[in-house]
Each structure stands twice: as C-alpha cells, then as structure tokens.
C-alpha cells in the first residue's frame, strides 16, 4: 500500500538549516508530483512547495521562496525539502503528500508529518 | 495571490445536514478539493474536482461549486464527522472550518 514517511525534523535556531526527507513506497514514485504542506501548531494547512513527476518543474509559496528548495530522487523514491535561513514562523509539522497526477493538484496520500521547531 | 475564505466554525446536530462554504473570486471556474482532518491525523481528501468522491468516502459527502462559492455538504451528520475541513484550489488552502457535532 502507499506509504509516505517523513523524517529530518527537529529543533533548529533561527537562521539555521534543515533537510527534510520523505520516503515513498507502494507506488511508482516517478509517476506522481509531490507536495510539501505545513501546519503550524493549532493553525491551518499551508502549502509550501510542489515538484512535478520528473523534477523539472518546481513551485514555491511566497513565504519560502528563495529559502527552501524542493527536490526528488526517483531512483530511490525520495522527496526532499532543503530549508535555509529558518525563521520562528517556519515552526510547523511538515507533511509530504502525493499528487494524484504527474504535475500538481489535489493530494491523495499524506504522510504523518515531521515537526520542525525554530524557537524564538 | 488567490485567497480562499472559510468560516472558522460550523455546528450541527446529529443526523442533520452540515454546509461548509469556501469563498473565492470566481471560484466556480476552478477545481476545488476538500480535505477532512481529525485531531492528530493527517488530512484526507473527501471531495476532489468540485464533486468527485474518492473510493471509501460515504455518499453523505458531496460538493458543489458555482460563482464565488464552493460548498461541501455533509448529510446525516455523524459524531465521527467532527473534524476540521479545508478547501483547496491549486496551491492555496482555505483557513479551515471546524465542524462540531452537537
């Protein structure tokens, strides 16, 4: 069955960096776009970034543009989010989510998330 | 950037009908997706492309979309439907609506 398992979260000081990973299994990873979506404690969902099936198209929320980089390894079925210049308001649970199709759109499977904390 | 507006909360008695709205400029021309999120769990899609239901989602969940408002309707509400509901258009999420079953 489809599984998405995020890792790499933790506590990082403002201005620091972190790399999140999402291990995918149970489906052909290279056939799907992938999202990163975050949720601050007690808040709603915020889309972060999307990468198309082949990695050639990437889009970012304005709030992370220039600081975060999404990438993927289709050989090893992994999705990544490189986060630099982290800020207090980047504190959130970060989900990876599979796009129903090859590019972008609604997400049909979600991981359980990995928590990133940037203390003030 | 595109903005989606949801009421923060909706309350409904069991077996009644819940209506959750998502407002956006000319949203009727866009595809809207709806997610349910229960406490401590990841979101799960309940309606996609305005009206379609994934397998396993009860027929009690239905969607519509026209003009400046998309609607998620939950008929015959059950206690287990209590959750946060989010609409999505492209890469934008609404602020979420907390559904309380009285």
């Amino acid at each position: 069955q489809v599984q998405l398992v995020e890792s790499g979260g933790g506590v990082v000081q403002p201005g620091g960096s972190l790399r999140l990973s999402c291990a995918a299994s149970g489906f052909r990873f290279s056939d799907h776009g992938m999202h990163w979506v975050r949720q601050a404690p007690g808040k709603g969902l915020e889309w972060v970034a999307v990468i198309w099936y082949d990695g050639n198209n990437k889009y970012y929320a304005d709030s992370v543009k220039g600081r975060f980089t999404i990438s993927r390894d289709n050989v090893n079925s992994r999705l990544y989010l490189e986060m630099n210049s982290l800020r207090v308001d980047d504190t959130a649970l970060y989900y990876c989510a599979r796009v129903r199709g090859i590019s972008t759109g609604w997400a049909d499977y979600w991981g359980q998330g990995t928590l990133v904390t940037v203390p003030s | 950037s595109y903005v989606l507006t949801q009421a923060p909360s909706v309350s409904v008695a069991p077996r009644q009908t819940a209506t959750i709205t998502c407002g956006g400029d000319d949203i009727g021309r866009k595809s809207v997706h709806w997610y349910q999120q229960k406490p401590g769990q990841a979101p799960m899609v309940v309606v996609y492309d305005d009206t379609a239901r994934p397998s396993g989602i009860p027929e009690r969940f239905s969607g519509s979309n026209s003009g400046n408002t998309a609607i998620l309707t939950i008929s015959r509400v059950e206690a287990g439907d209590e959750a946060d509901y989010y609409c999505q258009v492209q890469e934008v999420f609404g602020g979420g609506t907390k559904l309380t079953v009285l």
Side-chain angles (χ1 to χ4, degrees):
Chain A
Q1 72 279 25
V2 173
Q3 277 201 308
L4 299 170
V5 180
E6 303 93 337
S7 60
V11 179
V12 58
Q13 293 302 309
S17 298
L18 213 54
R19 188 195 200 199
L20 306 184
S21 179
C22 171
S25 61
F27 66 100
R28 186 174 299 205
F29 184 68
S30 58
D31 282 352
H32 293 268
M34 296 293 296
H35 289 293
W36 284 102
V37 176
R38 69 184 181 183
Q39 187 168 33
K43 302 297 184 181
L45 301 175
E46 181 187 13
W47 174 77
V48 173
V50 65
I51 186 168
W52 288 21
Y53 71 107
D54 58 0
N56 286 336
N57 295 81
K58 307 172 186 182
Y59 301 94
Y60 300 90
D62 288 344
S63 58
V64 307
K65 201 173 295 184
R67 300 188 300 122
F68 290 11
T69 301
I70 189 171
S71 62
R72 65 189 298 158
D73 176 353
N74 283 348
V75 173
N76 294 300
S77 299
R78 281 189 172 263
L79 176 72
Y80 300 102
L81 186 67
E82 187 77 37
M83 304 186 296
N84 298 315
S85 304
L86 281 161
R87 309 189 302 219
V88 172
D89 61 359
D90 292 319
T91 294
L93 186 64
Y94 284 74
Y95 294 102
C96 69
R98 188 184 86 164
V99 178
R100 188 70 174 91
I102 63 171
S103 57
T104 188
W106 62 280
D108 59 355
Y109 287 93
W110 296 63
Q112 287 303 305
T114 187
L115 183 62
V116 172
T117 303
V118 187
S120 57
Chain B
S1 62
Y2 196 68
V3 176
L4 296 173
T5 302
Q6 296 184 245
S9 63
V10 166
S11 299
V12 63
R15 297 178 298 280
Q16 299 305 303
T17 298
T19 299
I20 298 172
T21 61
C22 177
D25 184 38
D26 214 13
I27 197 173
R29 293 179 175 270
K30 306 177 188 296
S31 287
V32 180
H33 322 296
W34 291 93
Y35 299 88
Q36 176 193 71
Q37 186 182 33
K38 296 183 178 180
Q41 296 184 18
M44 175 181 69
V45 68
V46 290
V47 167
Y48 65 94
D49 291 346
D50 296 340
T51 61
R53 248 186 342 268
S55 60
I57 300 300
E59 291 182 9
R60 301 185 297 104
F61 289 81
S62 63
S64 63
N65 186 17
S66 179
N68 293 317
T69 305
I71 300 173
L72 173 69
T73 302
I74 310 173
S75 305
R76 301 180 301 283
V77 165
E78 302 174 356
D81 298 330
E82 191 162 280
D84 295 324
Y85 291 85
Y86 297 91
C87 58
Q88 178 198 13
V89 171
Q90 296 166 347
E91 282 75 41
V92 179
F93 287 99
T97 297
K98 181 176 182 59
L99 175 66
T100 299
V101 181
L102 300 171

